[in-house]
Amino acid sequence: MGHGGGGTLSAELVEHVFAPAFGGATLAQLGDAATVSLGGARLAFSTDSYVVRPLFFPGGSIGDLAVNGTVNDLAMSGARAAYLSCGFILEEGVELETVSRVAEALGTAARAAGVEVATGDTKVVEAGHGDGIYVNTAGIGLVPDGVDLRPQRVVPGDVVIVSGPVGVHGVAIMSVREGLEFGVEIVSDCAPLGSLVEAMLAVTPDLHVLRDPTRGGLAASLNEIAAASGTGVVITEREVPVPPAVANACAVLGLDPFYVANEGKLVAFVPREHADAVLAAMRAHPLGAQAAIIGEAVAGHPGMVVARTGLGGTRVVDMPIGEQLPRIC
C-alpha cells in the first residue's frame, strides 16, 4: 500500500520498475502531465486513477475527483484541458443508482471545468475483487506558446506560493470514513484549477513550475521540485495556511498537515520580480483568495526542504516514505 502513497516508495516503483520498462525521453519528464508535440501543436497529456472511499464525501465525490484531478494535472503544465477519456471499473453487486450518481457527478464536474468527456470504457469485476467503483481518466489540452513549466527551471531566489489552505481534502475524507467529528464540518477543496492558472499566466508566462499537492501533500510536491531542480527550499511554517479545523484534526490523528492530500490547491515557484503581481492575480480569483507566499528556493542544501518553525528553529521536511493515510484519491 505504501507504494501507492505518493512518497519515496512510489518514486522507487516508478524509477526501478516502470521507467526502465517503458523508456523514452517524454516519460522521463515525470511531471503531473507530459508535454508532447504533435502536428505542430504542443499538448499536455495525463492519466490518473481514482479509488477513493467513501464514493461521496463533503464537497465532492469520486466523479468530481476523476475530472478535477486530471484537469489539474494538465493545468500544472499550463494547459487548459480540452478532452477526457473515462474508464469505469465496477464491482459486481454495486447498485446502478450509485453508478448513475457517480456518472452524473462526473458529467457535471466536466461541464463546470469546460472539458468534454469524449471516449470511455466499462469493465465489471467479480464481487470481492473491487471496491464498488474505480474510475480512470486521461486528458489532453493545448499548452500556450511561451509557457515552459518544469522543475528544472527553478533557480535560487524563486518565490514559493501556495494557492490556499492545505490538508483540507484528506481530513474531509478521514472525518467521513472514520465517523470523526471536529466541531465543524470539513469540506473537500476539490476544484478545477485551469482558470486560476490562466489568471497567473496572464500576469507572466514566465512561471517556473506548478504542482498540485495531492498524494503526499505539500511536503511531497516541494521535495520533488527540490530534487529535480537541484535547489534547496526554505519555507516559513507559520506562513503556510492551515485551517484551524484541519490543524486540530491532524493533532488528534497524529498527522502533519504538510503531508495531507489536497485536491484544489497548487504550489508555484515564481521569479521574484513577478511574485507580487502573480500573488495579487491569484487572490483576485475565487480559488486563490487565500494564496500566500510561504518560502523561497535557495542555493544551500540542494534537494532538501527545510521549514522555519515558530520557535525560531528549523526542521527538515522529508519526502514521505509510504502512505500516511488510507486511500483518499
Side-chain angles (χ1 to χ4, degrees):
M1 291 299 288
H3 284 89
T8 300
L9 291 178
S10 293
E12 290 179 352
L13 184 65
V14 172
E15 180 182 355
H16 297 299
V17 177
F18 297 131
F22 302 157
T26 302
L27 180 65
Q29 298 172 20
L30 294 180
D32 287 336
T35 301
V36 298
S37 295
L38 185 65
R42 292 179 67 218
L43 299 176
F45 181 30
S46 183
T47 186
D48 209 340
S49 300
Y50 301 87
V51 295
V52 67
R53 181 168 52 87
L55 298 175
F56 300 90
F57 48 83
S61 70
I62 191 173
D64 299 280
L65 287 177
V67 171
N68 294 337
T70 296
V71 165
N72 292 347
D73 283 346
L74 296 173
M76 297 307 103
S77 294
R80 191 68 181 282
Y83 298 100
L84 297 181
S85 70
C86 178
F88 272 73
I89 300 175
L90 309 175
E91 183 181 14
E92 178 188 14
V94 66
E95 295 182 355
L96 285 176
E97 181 184 0
T98 301
V99 178
S100 179
R101 287 181 63 197
V102 171
E104 288 291 339
L106 194 152
T108 298
R111 288 186 288 274
V115 63
E116 180 180 349
V117 179
T119 187
D121 181 56
T122 305
K123 293 291 186 294
V124 178
V125 299
E126 294 90 346
H129 291 265
D131 195 15
I133 300 175
Y134 297 155
V135 182
N136 172 275
T137 50
I140 57 173
L142 284 171
V143 180
D145 292 338
V147 173
D148 183 17
L149 298 173
R150 49 191 173 88
Q152 292 77 12
R153 297 194 63 219
V154 172
V155 296
D158 281 358
V159 172
V160 182
I161 304 175
V162 68
S163 64
V166 302
V168 180
H169 175 73
V171 172
I173 296 294
M174 285 296 294
S175 65
V176 175
R177 179 183 294 159
E178 306 301 333
L180 302 174
E181 296 183 2
F182 303 107
V184 61
E185 183 182 47
I186 301 174
V187 178
S188 171
D189 59 349
C190 184
L193 297 172
S195 60
L196 175 61
V197 172
E198 286 183 347
M200 297 166 67
L201 291 173
V203 174
T204 174
D206 189 31
L207 306 179
H208 284 171
V209 68
L210 302 176
R211 284 289 171 89
D212 60 333
T214 52
R215 290 181 305 168
L218 178 66
S221 292
L222 293 177
N223 273 278
E224 289 169 356
I225 292 169
S229 65
T231 65
V233 176
V234 176
I235 61 173
T236 302
E237 203 167 61
R238 64 176 58 180
E239 298 299 328
V240 180
V242 179
V246 170
N248 294 337
C250 287
V252 170
L253 297 170
L255 303 175
D256 184 335
F258 289 5
Y259 292 88
V260 178
N262 312 271
E263 286 292 345
K265 299 297 186 300
L266 63 81
V267 59
F269 282 63
V270 181
R272 184 170 296 278
E273 62 268 25
H274 300 305
D276 289 341
V278 170
L279 180 65
M282 294 173 73
R283 288 178 171 173
H285 190 283
L287 295 177
Q290 298 180 67
I293 293 174
I294 63 170
E296 63 179 342
V298 297
H301 52 79
M304 182 181 296
V305 180
V306 171
R308 296 192 181 103
T309 69
L311 299 177
T314 59
R315 68 180 178 98
V316 175
V317 181
D318 285 324
M319 186 75 163
I321 299 299
E323 184 143 59
Q324 186 187 37
L325 294 169
R327 295 206 181 276
I328 52 179
C329 59

